């Protein structure tokens, strides 16, 4: 059983890609709707909430947990992996959503430093759009800089976008917001056009078409859910012990710290498929 964690239902965009790519794996999704959004929260709160969620998913029987939330990955992942997991559950694993993006951007494998198929020129410029906390953590430029020190990372916060998507705002409202963030990003680059853009938040794939329309045509938009799904498939191929056992293959569970009835209706609309949440 693989746990997929997000602050709310944005991570369902990642889960959708995972279930398409790995249909016979077993997934338990946990959305911390009771505490979302994480984007504006202090770091210590995000760490404590993420730790509690991972403990819950471990208690549900998950041996591998993916932090689908960029904010939780930015703030909590390294600390969980280095300071907590080795003593608390050395045989289990927690992964995040940064590695697949960083590999795609830098064309360098995270595992052993070997080159992977080149997607973006190493000395190019990339734009990262994300929540305030993800951007202020500096996690994307830091991780990219370790692999591709000459790559310039232009970081752009999108402070109102998650709330607007959650509130199901009209397309025109979302377009205006996205156009504003893209314009702010381009102001930072003094006329240079980034080679690629990362939508570094679970919710942004839902408005990827608006980013694609607002960005110059040459900018390559990386699709985080599909990159994460490919990366997890590769990880499972190398770590068979985390793959689904015969009795659990293909199962899906949805847990929430919020109100399951309200969240189920909202999430079903959000991803365009019936989703039934239980109370975590
Ligand atoms: N899931 C968060 C992320 O990917 C976005 C929503 C939030 O702010 O909690 O950064």
């Amino acid at each position: 059983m693989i746990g997929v964690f997000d602050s709310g239902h944005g991570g369902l965009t990642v889960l959708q890609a995972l279930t398409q790519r790995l249909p016979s794996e077993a997934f338990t999704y946990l959305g911390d709707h009771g505490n979302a959004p994480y984007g504006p929260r202090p770091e210590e709160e995000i760490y404590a909430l993420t730790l509690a969620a991972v403990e819950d998913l471990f208690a549900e029987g998950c041996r591998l947990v993916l932090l689908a939330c960029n904010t939780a990955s930015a703030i909590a992942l390294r600390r969980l992996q280095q300071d907590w997991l080795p003593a608390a559950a050395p045989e289990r694993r927690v992964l995040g959503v940064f590695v697949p993006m960083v590999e795609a951007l830098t064309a360098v494998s995270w595992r052993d430093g070997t080159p992977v198929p080149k997607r973006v020129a190493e000395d190019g410029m990339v734009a990262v759009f994300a929540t305030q906390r993800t951007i202020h953590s500096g996690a994307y430029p830091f991780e990219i800089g370790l692999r591709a020190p000459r790559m310039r990372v232009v970081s752009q916060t999108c402070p109102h976008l998650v709330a607007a998507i959650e509130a199901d705002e009209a397309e025109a409202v979302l377009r205006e917001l996205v156009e504003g963030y893209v314009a702010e990003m381009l102001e930072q680059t003094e006329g240079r056009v980034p080679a690629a853009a990362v939508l570094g938040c679970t919710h942004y794939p839902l408005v990827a078409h608006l980013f694609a329309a607002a960005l110059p045509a040459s900018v390559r938009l990386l699709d985080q859910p599909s990159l994460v799904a490919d990366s997890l498939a590769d990880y499972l191929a190398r770590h068979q012990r985390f793959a689904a056992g015969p009795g659990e293959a293909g199962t899906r569970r949805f847990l929430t710290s919020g109100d399951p009835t309200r969240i189920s209706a909202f999430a079903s609309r959000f991803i365009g498929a019936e989703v039934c949440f239980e109370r975590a």
Side-chain angles (χ1 to χ4, degrees):
M1 179 73 74
I2 298 168
V4 178
F5 169 67
D6 186 45
S7 54
H9 42 251
L12 293 169
T13 57
V14 176
L15 184 74
Q16 254 184 333
L18 295 180
T19 54
Q20 272 162 22
R21 183 77 175 71
L22 298 159
S24 51
E25 291 304 330
F27 292 102
T28 294
Y29 183 91
L30 171 59
D32 190 11
H33 296 87
N35 294 298
Y38 280 15
R41 283 184 180 275
E43 290 196 8
E44 277 308 313
E45 272 183 36
I46 294 168
Y47 179 75
L49 291 169
T50 306
L51 171 59
V54 172
E55 286 179 324
D56 284 352
L57 285 165
F58 281 177
E60 290 292 331
C62 300
R63 285 168 289 127
L64 174 66
V65 170
L66 174 73
L67 305 183
C69 179
N70 284 261
T71 307
S73 295
I75 302 302
L77 181 63
R78 268 179 181 265
R79 202 167 144 192
L80 286 174
Q81 288 174 332
Q82 289 170 5
D83 300 347
W84 177 74
L85 200 59
E91 74 296 349
R92 303 195 187 200
R93 292 291 176 270
V94 183
L95 305 175
V97 285
F98 274 37
V99 170
M101 301 304 287
V102 171
E103 284 190 352
L105 287 168
T106 62
V108 176
S109 163
W110 196 253
R111 256 182 291 150
D112 52 12
T114 54
V116 295
K118 213 171 184 67
R119 291 190 170 104
V120 177
E122 197 187 315
D123 56 355
M125 178 166 59
V126 297
V128 176
F129 295 91
T131 65
Q132 300 102 296
R133 190 54 65 196
T134 298
I135 294 296
H136 293 148
S137 76
Y140 268 108
F142 175 77
E143 303 287 7
I144 291 167
L146 290 178
R147 298 279 154 159
R150 284 182 297 142
M151 184 178 280
R152 180 173 166 202
V153 182
V154 184
S155 301
Q156 179 63 48
T157 60
C158 308
H160 304 296
L161 197 48
V162 167
I165 293 169
E166 295 256 349
D168 213 6
E169 290 284 5
E171 179 99 345
V173 174
L174 297 173
R175 181 179 301 111
E176 197 178 331
L177 279 174
V178 168
E179 284 175 354
Y181 298 136
V182 168
E184 281 177 30
M185 182 279 292
L186 289 171
E187 273 169 31
Q188 296 185 57
T189 68
E190 293 134 12
R192 278 186 68 201
V193 175
V198 172
L199 302 184
C201 171
T202 48
H203 287 58
Y204 302 174
L206 293 160
V207 288
H209 61 292
L210 299 179
F211 276 98
L215 285 162
S218 61
V219 179
R220 180 172 188 153
L221 209 49
L222 298 190
D223 182 34
Q224 188 170 56
S226 68
L227 289 169
V228 169
D230 287 347
S231 176
L232 187 66
D234 176 58
Y235 185 87
L236 291 176
R238 289 181 288 110
H239 300 88
Q240 287 286 329
R241 68 185 194 280
F242 295 120
E248 60 180 15
T251 55
R252 313 277 180 257
R253 285 189 72 203
F254 296 90
L255 306 174
T256 177
S257 59
D259 168 15
T261 309
R262 195 180 66 81
I263 300 302
S264 298
F266 204 103
S268 301
R269 194 154 42 89
F270 183 80
I271 61 166
E274 180 109 13
V275 177
C276 187
F277 274 86
E278 303 162 45
R279 183 90 198 178

